[in-house]
Amino acid sequence: MKREMFWVTLSVTVLLASCGGGGPEAKKAESSAPPAAAAPPVDPATAGSITGKVAFTGEKPTPKVLSMDATPACARMHKGPVYAEDVVLNGNGTLKNVLVYIKEGLPKGEYPTPTASVKLDQTGCIYVPHVVGVMVNQPLEISNSDTTNHNIHPLPRVNREWNESQPPKGDVKVKTFPKEEMPPILFKCNVHPWMRAWVGVLSHPYFAVTGDDGTFTLKNVPPGEYTIEAWQERYGAQEMKVKVEPKQAQTADFTFKG
Ligand SMILES: [Cu+2]
């Protein structure tokens, strides 16, 4: 009788031990963890905005010409020289492709992920646009409008690295990035070494990339005190403190020196 009890106890112990740690039960418990609390909704009666301009001073860099000679399929698609976009100076003395975003100060919580995708195309063997921002888990739609093969290769430091070829006019690839990542992720093409794009991944919707006039606007900003950052591929990042009062259209101008 005593001996039987011993064996029952032993087998129960073994059974429990084999279920411990990372078994299926543990995984189930992990996935059923309560989701993070949503960020408080923004009250339209008090929401403000932050608008600014990213100026450039100092010596203008000489634009670098991209050599596509080794790949006639790419060179053919351009009538004149094609310039690198690491620094793009606008006619009004501002910088294009600067990603401006709220770095600190937003109410804590999860911000809803937009279902609309952000587009990144490969056309004329160039990534267009050169800099984009997406929210965590927002779809990034990557297309190939060219008649040549591309090989998309993001080099993240926080998210997972991948490397996929895309045939001419191939199917659109839809990718998401589950973790916030700034400075942005560099995207390369393993076929064409000059191809570069930058994808910033943010946990909230308060970001914008400067265009041909060098301005940006962050809308629907709850009143508060914020640190905003402007990131530029060659010149790095600059921070600024701003306070947004209820309904205020606040301004925040940056200047990068060459
Ligand atoms: Cu390519």
Side-chain angles (χ1 to χ4, degrees):
M1 184 69 188
K2 248 186 173 178
R3 194 171 166 166
E4 263 169 37
M5 277 301 287
F6 168 77
W7 282 113
V8 167
T9 312
L10 185 69
S11 52
V12 166
T13 311
V14 169
L15 198 68
L16 283 175
S18 66
C19 281
E25 286 302 311
K27 267 192 191 139
K28 201 176 160 195
E30 224 170 76
S31 61
S32 62
V42 180
D43 179 1
T46 59
S49 63
I50 305 170
T51 300
K53 194 172 71 173
V54 181
F56 178 85
T57 58
E59 201 177 322
K60 288 183 186 176
T62 312
K64 278 183 281 180
V65 177
L66 301 177
S67 172
M68 298 186 182
D69 296 348
T71 316
C74 295
R76 266 201 305 271
M77 288 187 273
H78 299 277
K79 288 194 178 93
V82 187
Y83 295 100
E85 292 179 283
D86 55 339
V87 180
V88 179
L89 280 178
N90 293 318
N92 63 355
T94 60
L95 282 165
K96 189 179 176 174
N97 292 331
V98 178
L99 201 164
V100 185
Y101 69 106
I102 294 183
K103 190 173 186 179
E104 282 165 25
L106 281 168
K108 296 269 178 282
E110 260 187 30
Y111 289 81
T113 308
T115 48
S117 54
V118 171
K119 311 262 192 298
L120 180 62
D121 190 25
Q122 296 155 106
T123 178
C125 299
I126 300 285
Y127 278 116
V128 179
H130 186 64
V131 177
V132 291
V134 292
M135 263 187 74
V136 164
N137 289 327
Q138 180 178 13
L140 175 70
E141 245 184 71
I142 309 164
S143 51
N144 178 2
S145 299
D146 289 336
T147 51
T148 188
N149 256 312
H150 289 295
N151 191 102
I152 310 148
H153 187 184
L155 295 160
R157 300 162 309 279
V158 180
N159 285 281
R160 188 178 63 81
E161 183 177 347
W162 50 271
N163 181 2
E164 291 179 20
S165 65
Q166 194 172 32
K169 317 269 182 190
D171 291 340
V172 164
K173 287 181 190 289
V174 179
K175 298 288 182 183
T176 55
F177 300 90
K179 291 174 185 161
E180 186 165 42
E181 186 155 350
M182 276 299 292
I185 302 168
L186 171 62
F187 273 51
K188 289 179 137 186
C189 168
N190 284 7
V191 186
H192 309 113
W194 63 82
M195 286 180 70
R196 270 156 190 266
W198 298 89
V199 178
V201 186
L202 286 305
S203 61
H204 57 70
Y206 300 102
F207 58 89
V209 178
T210 59
D212 294 334
D213 64 354
T215 66
F216 68 89
T217 299
L218 309 176
K219 291 179 192 157
N220 199 35
V221 179
E225 289 182 45
Y226 300 104
T227 301
I228 56 173
E229 186 172 88
W231 173 89
Q232 203 280 342
E233 175 177 349
R234 192 191 302 186
Y235 302 118
Q238 285 185 14
E239 284 186 5
M240 188 185 293
K241 301 252 185 227
V242 292
K243 188 173 182 184
V244 179
E245 304 283 0
K247 296 293 269 178
Q248 186 188 12
Q250 181 57 277
T251 55
D253 293 334
F254 290 88
T255 302
F256 283 90
K257 286 192 176 65

Coordinates of all heavy atoms in Angstrom, one line a residue, residues 74 122 125-127 146 148-152 188-195, ligand 1:
C74 N 18.0 50.8 -64.9 CA 17.7 51.9 -63.9 C 18.1 53.3 -64.6 O 17.3 54.2 -64.6 CB 18.5 51.8 -62.6 SG 18.0 50.3 -61.7
Q122 N 9.1 51.7 -55.2 CA 10.4 51.7 -55.9 C 10.2 52.1 -57.3 O 9.5 51.4 -58.1 CB 11.1 50.4 -55.7 CG 11.3 50.0 -54.3 CD 11.4 48.5 -54.0 OE1 12.5 48.0 -53.9 NE2 10.3 47.9 -54.1
C125 N 14.3 53.1 -59.8 CA 15.3 52.5 -58.9 C 15.7 53.5 -57.7 O 16.8 53.7 -57.3 CB 16.6 52.2 -59.6 SG 16.3 50.9 -60.9
I126 N 14.6 54.1 -57.2 CA 14.7 55.0 -56.1 C 13.5 54.7 -55.2 O 12.4 54.4 -55.7 CB 14.5 56.5 -56.6 CG1 15.6 56.9 -57.6 CG2 14.4 57.5 -55.4 CD1 16.9 57.2 -57.0
Y127 N 13.8 54.7 -53.9 CA 12.6 54.6 -52.9 C 11.9 55.9 -52.9 O 12.5 57.0 -52.7 CB 13.1 54.2 -51.5 CG 13.4 52.8 -51.3 CD1 14.7 52.4 -51.0 CD2 12.4 51.8 -51.3 CE1 15.1 51.1 -50.7 CE2 12.7 50.5 -51.0 CZ 14.0 50.1 -50.7 OH 14.3 48.8 -50.5
D146 N 8.9 49.4 -61.1 CA 10.0 49.3 -62.1 C 9.8 48.0 -62.9 O 9.2 47.1 -62.5 CB 11.3 49.4 -61.5 CG 11.7 50.8 -61.0 OD1 11.1 51.8 -61.5 OD2 12.5 50.9 -60.0
T148 N 12.4 46.2 -63.3 CA 13.6 45.5 -62.8 C 13.4 44.9 -61.4 O 12.5 45.4 -60.7 CB 14.9 46.4 -62.8 OG1 16.0 45.7 -62.6 CG2 14.8 47.5 -61.8
N149 N 14.2 43.9 -61.1 CA 14.1 43.3 -59.7 C 14.6 44.2 -58.7 O 15.6 44.9 -58.9 CB 14.9 42.0 -59.7 CG 14.1 40.8 -59.8 OD1 13.1 40.6 -59.0 ND2 14.5 39.9 -60.6
H150 N 14.0 44.3 -57.5 CA 14.5 44.9 -56.3 C 14.6 43.9 -55.2 O 14.0 42.9 -55.2 CB 13.7 46.1 -55.9 CG 13.8 47.3 -56.9 ND1 14.9 48.0 -57.1 CD2 12.8 47.8 -57.7 CE1 14.7 48.9 -58.0 NE2 13.4 48.9 -58.4
N151 N 15.4 44.3 -54.2 CA 15.5 43.4 -53.0 C 15.5 44.3 -51.8 O 16.4 45.0 -51.5 CB 16.8 42.7 -53.1 CG 16.8 41.6 -52.0 OD1 16.6 40.4 -52.3 ND2 17.0 42.0 -50.7
I152 N 14.3 44.3 -51.1 CA 14.1 45.2 -50.0 C 14.8 44.6 -48.8 O 14.5 43.5 -48.4 CB 12.6 45.4 -49.8 CG1 11.9 45.7 -51.1 CG2 12.3 46.4 -48.7 CD1 10.5 45.2 -51.1
K188 N 17.5 49.3 -47.4 CA 18.4 49.3 -48.5 C 17.8 48.3 -49.6 O 16.8 47.6 -49.3 CB 19.8 48.7 -48.1 CG 20.5 49.7 -47.2 CD 21.8 49.1 -46.8 CE 22.9 50.1 -47.0 NZ 24.3 49.5 -46.7
C189 N 18.5 48.3 -50.7 CA 18.1 47.3 -51.8 C 19.4 46.5 -52.1 O 20.4 47.2 -52.3 CB 17.6 48.0 -53.0 SG 17.5 46.9 -54.4
N190 N 19.4 45.2 -52.0 CA 20.6 44.4 -52.1 C 21.1 44.4 -53.6 O 22.1 43.9 -53.9 CB 20.4 43.0 -51.6 CG 20.5 43.0 -50.1 OD1 20.5 44.0 -49.4 ND2 20.4 41.8 -49.5
V191 N 20.2 44.8 -54.5 CA 20.6 44.8 -55.9 C 21.2 46.2 -56.3 O 22.2 46.2 -57.1 CB 19.3 44.6 -56.8 CG1 19.8 44.4 -58.3 CG2 18.6 43.3 -56.4
H192 N 20.7 47.2 -55.8 CA 21.1 48.6 -56.2 C 21.6 49.3 -54.9 O 20.8 49.8 -54.1 CB 19.9 49.4 -56.8 CG 19.3 48.6 -57.9 ND1 18.0 48.1 -57.8 CD2 19.7 48.2 -59.1 CE1 17.7 47.4 -58.9 NE2 18.7 47.5 -59.7
P193 N 22.9 49.4 -54.8 CA 23.5 49.9 -53.5 C 23.2 51.4 -53.2 O 23.3 51.8 -52.1 CB 25.0 49.7 -53.7 CG 25.2 49.5 -55.2 CD 24.0 48.9 -55.7
W194 N 22.7 52.1 -54.2 CA 22.4 53.6 -53.9 C 21.0 53.7 -53.3 O 20.7 54.8 -52.8 CB 22.5 54.4 -55.2 CG 21.5 53.9 -56.2 CD1 20.2 54.3 -56.3 CD2 21.8 53.0 -57.3 NE1 19.6 53.7 -57.4 CE2 20.5 52.9 -58.0 CE3 22.9 52.3 -57.8 CZ2 20.4 52.1 -59.1 CZ3 22.7 51.5 -58.9 CH2 21.5 51.4 -59.5
M195 N 20.2 52.7 -53.4 CA 18.8 52.9 -52.9 C 18.7 52.9 -51.4 O 19.2 52.0 -50.7 CB 17.9 51.7 -53.5 CG 17.7 51.8 -54.9 SD 16.6 50.5 -55.5 CE 15.1 50.8 -54.8
Ligands
CU1 CU 16.7 48.0 -56.1

